Amino acid sequence: MDWNNMCQTFNDKDNVWSWQYTCEIFPDLLDAMWVTISATFVAYFVALILGLFLTLGRRSPIRPVKWFFQGFLEFVRGTPPLVQLFFIYFGFPEIPYIGFEMSAFTAGVLGLGIHYSTYVSEIYRSGIEAVPKSQWEASKALNFSKGQTWLRIVLPQAIPPVIPMLGNYLITMFKETPLLAAITLMEMLNMAKFIGAKYFDYLEPFTIVGFLFLLLSYPSAILVSKLEKRMNRRFRQKNA
Amino acid sequence: MPLLLKGAGVTVQIFIVSAVFAFIIAFIAGLGGVSRLKFVRVFTRMYVEFFRGTSLLVQMFWLFFAFPILLRAYGYDFSMSPYWAGIIALSLNYGAYASEIVRGSIEAVPKGQTEAAIALNMTRWQRMSRIILPQALRMMLPGFGNISIELLKGTSLVSLITLSDLTYQGQMIRNSNPGMADEVFLALLVLYFILALPLIYLSRFFERRASKGVAK
């Protein structure tokens, strides 16, 4: 028995909330959910890497470099991600010499990644500032190079305590992916809109999408807060 | 450019209206979160988790496209204007976030303050309004500053439910002038940043003041 036949057993097309309709459109929405999830993870990866560069750039001893990074962070954080996405998707290809066309997915993950890298960099910064000054001094005394100091001493101590906070941003970014609908990416929300327009009934698709978001983000939020509590215990013990 | 400025006016208007609603909701939900009645607490938690767990754009689309269908099906003649759908979604969503700040700040007031107020024979109402809230308020301000920046950025989403705000006007201009997308959206980014600047400075100011003159 194929899916659509199975859905017909509900036979309630005239109801306000039709389970038959829900059942019929569910596979399409699930497919679109994978687009949403993969966009989330790729964008998150971009944000993690770029955020690290921003953090290091902001700590640069060269003044103009430092100012440039600070200005960039402030600007990106002060403007809406939606407009940034429009700029990357529609505007960037038209910039002379450097512009090139990108797919909606690439532009989307880049846009979200860049926007959230500024938040992630703030978290990295708090982690780095929490590393005691004596650690820097010790690595200087041991004649470590700058690269060694960062890679072997500072970052391994700075990153683990902020992992729960980084996890929170993964969830936040997941909830921001519907923005990619605006640049024509067929993720969950756009799929719901498409289906709604096709059958002229928006109630079920949008409700299902909202429900799926809640279903995915709420348990992960609980998970992150559990992780946070555990980490807190662990690091307090170490410091005590 | 005049079109963009007109759009900026709409953006500012939506920002102010939903900011007012969001902060009212934040205080109601924040106080509800520390209520001694269990069902009030549970209800507030549900509201907060629901609006923080789904995304703003989904909420907006639902209110704009799905909600009127639901009401019409039950016999109410109702159509949702994009203006109110946007404002309701923005204020409920950011109200949920801001209520966490309210709740957190109230809980961060040292317990000794409550005990002292009880010792002074103050009523519950006096305790909250004269002792706890004034101290909690200064802790909330930096958080409120950040939320208001987020809210300003969030207003750009109303363009997707056809409300003619700054972003919407930008899209219109881009559609009628092919090949100008880069200039148009760069101008939009700069305009948004200019709108956000006072909020950024305000939240910095609050942050500095919050750490000043407080006994620790």
Side-chain angles (χ1 to χ4, degrees), chain A residues 135-136 139 144-155:
Chain A
Q135 296 286 329
W136 292 88
S139 52
F144 277 24
S145 74
K146 224 174 169 160
Q148 282 175 322
T149 310
W150 275 108
L151 287 177
R152 305 234 171 131
I153 309 293
V154 177
L155 289 182

Side-chain angles (χ1 to χ4, degrees), chain A residues 74 77 94 119 175 207 217, chain B residues 52-53 55 150 153 181 204:
Chain A
E74 208 62 71
R77 226 174 319 159
E94 289 176 8
Y119 289 85
K175 284 181 292 187
T207 311
S217 74
Chain B
R52 294 203 318 166
S55 59
E150 297 290 324
K153 292 194 291 183
R204 286 245 181 89

Side-chain angles (χ1 to χ4, degrees), chain B residues 128-205:
Chain B
M128 194 42 103
S129 65
R130 301 214 182 147
I131 308 295
I132 310 290
L133 270 186
Q135 296 182 64
L137 208 56
R138 67 185 309 158
M139 287 191 257
M140 291 174 204
L141 287 176
F144 278 179
N146 285 330
I147 289 271
S148 58
I149 297 171
E150 297 290 324
L151 179 60
L152 176 65
K153 292 194 291 183
T155 58
S156 68
L157 298 188
V158 298
S159 68
L160 299 177
I161 53 169
T162 70
L163 188 57
S164 55
D165 77 326
L166 187 48
T167 312
Y168 187 83
Q169 299 290 6
Q171 280 281 37
M172 287 290 115
I173 295 173
R174 179 186 74 90
N175 284 337
S176 49
N177 304 286
M180 269 184 52
D182 46 351
E183 290 98 333
V184 170
F185 288 125
L186 197 62
L188 276 192
L189 287 174
V190 172
L191 276 174
Y192 268 109
F193 190 60
I194 292 172
L195 290 179
L197 266 180
L199 296 175
I200 293 172
Y201 279 115
L202 204 67
S203 67
R204 286 245 181 89
F205 171 72

Side-chain angles (χ1 to χ4, degrees), chain A residues 11-132:
Chain A
N11 197 22
D12 60 351
K13 271 274 177 186
D14 297 329
N15 286 6
V16 177
W17 177 276
S18 158
W19 288 108
Q20 186 186 337
Y21 183 41
T22 305
C23 174
E24 278 166 8
I25 63 179
F26 201 67
D28 283 341
L29 288 174
L30 267 190
D31 280 346
M33 191 176 85
W34 292 115
V35 180
T36 294
I37 290 178
S38 50
T40 308
F41 277 101
V42 179
Y44 188 57
F45 185 71
V46 173
L48 286 184
I49 303 293
L50 199 66
L52 197 57
F53 279 109
L54 288 175
T55 316
L56 297 181
R58 188 160 56 170
R59 297 177 64 94
S60 163
I62 310 160
R63 280 273 171 87
V65 176
K66 191 174 152 183
W67 287 335
F68 171 78
F69 275 98
Q70 264 167 356
F72 179 80
L73 282 167
E74 208 62 71
F75 186 77
V76 172
R77 226 174 319 159
T79 50
L82 179 64
V83 183
Q84 291 165 4
L85 284 173
F86 282 155
F87 179 72
I88 291 175
Y89 187 62
F90 297 116
F92 183 69
E94 289 176 8
I95 295 176
Y97 307 118
I98 54 165
F100 54 87
E101 294 260 347
M102 277 179 282
S103 72
F105 187 87
T106 318
V109 295
L110 263 183
L112 272 190
I114 291 173
H115 188 79
Y116 279 95
S117 69
T118 59
Y119 289 85
V120 167
S121 117
E122 204 63 38
I123 295 174
Y124 284 144
R125 191 183 67 143
S126 72
I128 289 169
E129 279 172 3
V131 174

